[in-house]
Amino acid sequence: MSSGRNAGRRAILHAWLAAGLTGAAGGALAQAGGARLAPTPSCGDEARPTARQTEGPFYSAGPPERSDFRRDAPGEPMALVGLVLDTRCRAVAGARVDLWHTDRDGHYDNHGYRLRGYQLTDEQGRFGFETIVPGLYPGRTRHFHVKVARPGGRVLTTQLYFPGEPGNARDFIFDERLLMEVREGAGGRIGRFDLVVA
Ligand SMILES: [Fe+2]
């Protein structure tokens, strides 16, 4: 993996994180790599909490606070970005976003914290992970696992999915409400999903 690719992806992620979001309350817009991401599908004046899904058998309690997983395992680079919003579409600062997923071969690290970690949203409710595209394992389509909680709030556990993935139609856990917006950036894929917490 060249440092140029890394620098490009970091630049995109930082640009996204630095971009002024046009009113999280009115439908957030973000600039990423010069292209406009669609308004978040989950927010108008009011939003339903993000759908809950099973944690599955591979969550490891007590992950470290970290947002860059790229050195954990080889793979296709991917950024996962979004906002944490409340049901009135207001950004939630200091929310905890916990991400875990497989390596490119579909294996979880069940002994350590590779491809696992959490971060807190910034004052504008934003989070951004730099990681790799997860692989596939039997019975499941491609997915990320996420837990999110506002400060002092109840933990919402869910999973995020990839548009156009052939396995989506065959996975009985798959929920199209949990599809990320995924686009190709200069340094890899950028997945966006805004998490709504009650
Ligand atoms: Fe999983």
Side-chain angles (χ1 to χ4, degrees):
M1 190 184 301
S2 76
S3 61
R5 265 178 92 78
N6 286 340
R9 189 173 56 260
R10 272 197 299 278
I12 289 165
L13 183 56
H14 290 162
W16 194 93
L17 289 169
L21 299 176
T22 309
L29 298 172
Q31 299 286 329
R36 198 177 199 189
L37 290 176
T40 171
S42 51
C43 261
D45 293 331
E46 208 171 339
R48 288 189 179 167
T50 298
R52 293 175 184 274
Q53 291 218 308
T54 176
E55 170 180 298
F58 301 116
Y59 181 65
S60 294
E65 183 173 4
R66 59 199 290 264
S67 59
D68 187 349
F69 300 174
R70 292 165 303 161
R71 290 198 183 91
D72 291 1
E76 181 187 341
M78 178 164 184
L80 173 60
V81 302
L83 299 168
V84 176
L85 302 167
D86 68 14
T87 53
R88 293 177 64 188
C89 294
R90 297 175 300 198
V92 179
R96 179 181 163 125
V97 180
D98 188 341
L99 173 69
W100 74 104
H101 63 88
T102 71
D103 65 17
R104 66 182 178 184
D105 298 318
H107 298 124
Y108 289 95
D109 177 10
N110 294 316
H111 304 288
Y113 293 105
R114 286 188 308 116
L115 304 172
R116 299 173 183 272
Y118 80 91
Q119 66 181 268
L120 302 178
T121 56
D122 69 9
E123 68 285 350
Q124 294 180 67
R126 296 175 294 199
F127 64 88
F129 289 94
E130 291 184 278
T131 188
I132 59 167
V133 176
L136 297 169
Y137 58 91
R140 294 305 319 279
T141 191
R142 202 178 308 278
H143 62 281
F144 287 121
H145 290 271
V146 173
K147 288 179 180 285
V148 55
R150 60 189 310 166
R154 183 181 169 202
V155 175
L156 187 158
T157 301
T158 193
Q159 303 184 29
L160 302 179
Y161 297 98
F162 289 72
E165 189 69 30
N168 288 348
R170 298 189 296 269
D171 185 333
F172 71 93
I173 300 175
F174 169 77
D175 184 333
E176 65 180 9
R177 295 174 298 174
L178 298 169
L179 282 168
M180 295 177 286
E181 295 174 14
V182 179
R183 57 183 300 276
E184 286 292 336
R189 293 192 220 182
I190 302 171
R192 163 123 185 241
F193 194 90
D194 296 340
L195 296 158
V196 181
V197 291

